[in-house]
């Protein structure tokens, strides 16, 4: 018998982009959460974001959804431009994200580098680096995932 067919690395990346993009546009945290692992480190030009718990991730998700609503986002186009297997269970990918309001760009498209890993048979994002200016609203929302933003509940 032949080897099982391996999905194209770009198809894996694009499927995760569609899942997470739809989740962000509809506010579906459960779908969004299913595509990520914690702990993980994300980064923007402001530096690393240490996301240690699902609560950290949910905080960033809610902040991003609020930011997108505030800027009037009506469409998010994210396209995988490169993806490569590093091992049978590890893919590195780059996509370009474009945020639109009624067909008009809200700012210049930006690249994102991601590490994708197959865990228990499911592909997940295990880390991302966003080429976002530190003062960009989405970068500020992502920064809310950092463990240092947890509220004390003493």
């Amino acid at each position: 018998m032949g080897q099982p067919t391996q999905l194209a690395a770009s198809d894996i990346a694009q499927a995760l982009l569609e899942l997470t993009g739809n989740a962000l546009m509809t506010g579906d945290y459960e779908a969004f959460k299913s595509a990520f692992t914690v702990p993980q480190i994300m980064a923007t030009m402001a530096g690393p974001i240490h996301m240690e718990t699902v609560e950290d991730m949910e905080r960033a998700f809610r902040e991003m959804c609020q930011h997108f609503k505030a800027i009037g986002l009506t469409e998010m186009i994210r396209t995988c431009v490169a993806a490569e297997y590093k091992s049978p269970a590890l893919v590195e990918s780059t996509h370009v994200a474009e945020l639109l309001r009624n067909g008009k760009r809200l700012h210049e498209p930006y690249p994102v580098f991601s590490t994708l890993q197959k865990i228990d048979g499911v592909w997940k994002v295990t880390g991302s680096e966003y080429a976002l200016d530190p003062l960009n609203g989405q970068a500020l929302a992502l920064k809310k995932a950092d463990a240092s933003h947890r509220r004390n509940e003493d």
Side-chain angles (χ1 to χ4, degrees):
M1 296 190 91
Q3 294 279 23
T5 304
Q6 187 176 48
L7 292 172
S10 60
D11 289 344
I12 294 164
Q14 194 63 49
L16 283 167
L17 289 171
E18 289 173 18
L19 171 68
T20 57
N22 289 338
L24 284 164
M25 293 299 292
T26 62
D28 185 350
Y29 173 66
E30 291 302 316
F32 185 83
K33 180 175 74 171
S34 74
F36 291 88
T37 62
V38 288
Q40 71 170 270
I41 298 175
M42 294 182 164
T44 68
M45 290 185 199
I49 300 161
H50 298 272
M51 188 170 62
E52 297 175 356
T53 67
V54 292
E55 292 80 15
D56 294 339
M57 181 177 18
E58 183 173 11
R59 190 170 48 256
F61 175 81
R62 301 285 176 221
E63 291 286 334
M64 282 191 295
C65 288
Q66 286 177 5
H67 168 68
F68 291 152
K69 184 177 180 181
I71 63 173
L73 181 71
T74 57
E75 187 176 6
M76 179 185 310
I77 301 170
R78 299 185 308 161
T79 306
C80 177
V81 295
E84 179 181 359
Y85 277 96
K86 294 300 182 178
S87 77
L90 181 67
V91 168
E92 291 180 347
S93 71
T94 301
H95 73 271
V96 173
E98 188 172 6
L99 304 180
L100 307 171
R101 177 178 47 225
N102 300 324
K104 295 185 180 174
R105 280 186 184 162
L106 292 166
H107 54 73
E108 288 301 309
Y110 57 90
V112 180
F113 172 81
S114 295
T115 304
L116 315 175
Q117 192 170 353
K118 193 173 190 178
I119 300 169
D120 296 328
V122 179
W123 286 98
K124 295 187 179 264
V125 179
T126 58
S128 297
E129 298 174 20
Y130 296 76
L132 291 171
D133 180 273
L135 298 179
N136 173 284
Q138 187 177 355
L140 293 171
L142 281 169
K143 189 70 176 162
K144 298 284 183 156
D146 194 81
S148 67
H149 284 269
R150 289 190 200 134
R151 293 186 176 96
N152 289 332
E153 297 181 2
D154 297 338

